[in-house]
Amino acid sequence: MKLIISNHKMNFTLEEIKIYVEQLETVQSKNNLLVFCPSFLYLPYFKGKNYSLGSQNVASQKMGALTGEVSVEQLKSSGVSYVIIGHSERRNLLKEDKDSIQKKISLCLENEITPILCIGEQLEEKNQKEKVLQEEIDSAFQEGQALDEIIIAYEPIWSIGTGIIPSKEDITSTFEWIKSYVKETYHANCKVIYGGSVNEENIRLLNQIQIIDGYLLGGASLEIEKLREIIKVVEG
Ligand code: PEP
């Protein structure tokens, strides 16, 4: 079973999301776990269906006076079971720092919500990729937590939205490195998924890489036909 996680980012109007959810009724998956992360506003439209619900962010505090934020308890009571944390857009454009990423992960784990920790290197960091990934893992993981529950999304930042993906060999060696680093350092067996320009064409190549536990989709998840094709290929 592979995870196929759709991150809608800040897309769709209310009318568009209603149509999307309706079309989703025709999308089936036998062996995979589908997770949808729409805008907070649209979470209720995705509830009670044959897939799981995720959120694109969570507040770094439990509750209280934090205008515009959404708490882990609010998410949980809305049926959310996955939260994307530390997406590169939030790290780079919205200045999300390591401290708040760590707090968000703790809050999710305490509330039995699965954190999806995004890590990845910039184009100019390609030759020090392992150092970047190690820092992102170390600043998010804390000993004594249920670290096996964390899903790591490896997303090379230069691949997001560009149509360019790393080679099969590159992905394989990066995944091997992440899995063994997490195992040796934290004694954790985390699922590792790939994100960055996954589409209905390159999914054939990506799906040959056994070590990938699933995919985080951005652009391709916005179009039902592309999503359907991706699920079909992953289904085998
Ligand atoms: C992402 O932003 O996490 C992502 C994977 O986007 P895209 O698929 O559009 O590259």
Side-chain angles (χ1 to χ4, degrees):
M1 186 190 70
K2 299 219 174 189
L3 283 147
I4 303 178
I5 301 175
S6 294
N7 175 12
H8 287 174
K9 309 192 185 185
M10 199 172 64
N11 287 292
F12 295 127
T13 62
L14 180 58
E15 288 316 310
E16 287 165 348
I17 206 73
K18 285 181 182 168
I19 295 168
Y20 184 96
V21 171
E22 220 174 274
Q23 290 176 338
L24 213 48
E25 299 283 333
T26 66
V27 177
Q28 307 286 337
S29 177
K30 287 191 286 301
N31 317 325
N32 301 301
L33 178 63
L34 306 184
V35 181
F36 289 88
C37 307
S39 288
F40 288 132
L41 278 175
Y42 305 145
L43 285 169
Y45 294 93
F46 286 78
K47 209 174 162 184
K49 311 270 183 189
N50 275 341
Y51 35 78
S52 296
L53 204 45
S55 138
Q56 299 174 21
N57 186 28
V58 62
S60 58
Q61 286 181 31
K62 217 172 167 177
M63 57 174 9
L66 266 186
T67 303
E69 291 292 295
V70 178
S71 77
V72 74
E73 279 180 19
Q74 290 173 322
L75 291 175
K76 196 167 178 172
S77 66
S78 301
V80 165
S81 39
Y82 295 83
V83 176
I84 298 172
I85 297 176
H87 189 282
S88 59
E89 287 155 11
R90 294 201 57 85
R91 289 182 197 258
N92 300 326
L93 304 172
L94 300 163
K95 307 295 169 218
E96 182 165 69
D97 62 20
K98 289 173 179 168
D99 185 45
S100 67
I101 290 173
Q102 197 180 68
K103 287 184 182 148
K104 289 174 185 194
I105 290 191
S106 297
L107 281 171
C108 284
L109 292 174
E110 282 162 20
N111 285 277
E112 289 168 356
I113 287 185
T114 305
I116 302 163
L117 172 68
C118 298
I119 61 171
E121 79 286 1
Q122 308 261 16
L123 187 59
E124 61 276 17
E125 293 170 330
K126 255 183 168 178
N127 57 2
Q128 35 169 344
K129 179 171 58 184
E130 290 174 4
K131 183 172 169 277
V132 173
L133 301 183
Q134 181 174 335
E135 277 171 11
E136 289 181 333
I137 293 169
D138 289 345
S139 60
F141 276 44
Q142 289 182 85
E143 303 278 358
Q145 293 186 324
L147 300 173
D148 284 326
E149 300 304 316
I150 299 175
I151 295 172
I152 296 177
Y154 170 60
E155 301 202 292
I157 297 169
W158 50 271
S159 171
I160 294 178
T162 60
I164 304 165
I165 61 167
S167 69
K168 205 170 153 181
E169 294 70 31
D170 256 4
I171 294 180
T172 307
S173 63
T174 307
F175 270 59
E176 281 170 356
W177 183 87
I178 294 171
K179 288 198 180 207
S180 65
Y181 180 72
V182 163
K183 175 98 190 139
E184 281 162 24
T185 315
Y186 297 98
H187 312 289
N189 290 301
C190 294
K191 286 199 168 66
V192 185
I193 64 175
Y194 173 79
S197 290
V198 177
N199 62 32
E200 69 289 4
E201 284 158 17
N202 60 29
I203 189 65
R204 287 184 172 73
L205 176 108
L206 289 167
N207 206 42
Q208 293 167 8
I209 310 173
Q210 292 302 318
I211 195 167
I212 295 180
D213 295 311
Y215 306 95
L216 180 52
L217 312 176
S221 72
L222 303 177
E223 292 177 50
I224 294 285
E225 287 318 314
K226 291 187 177 174
L227 181 63
R228 193 197 306 281
E229 185 59 26
I230 290 169
I231 295 168
K232 203 169 104 192
V233 173
V234 178
E235 207 102 328

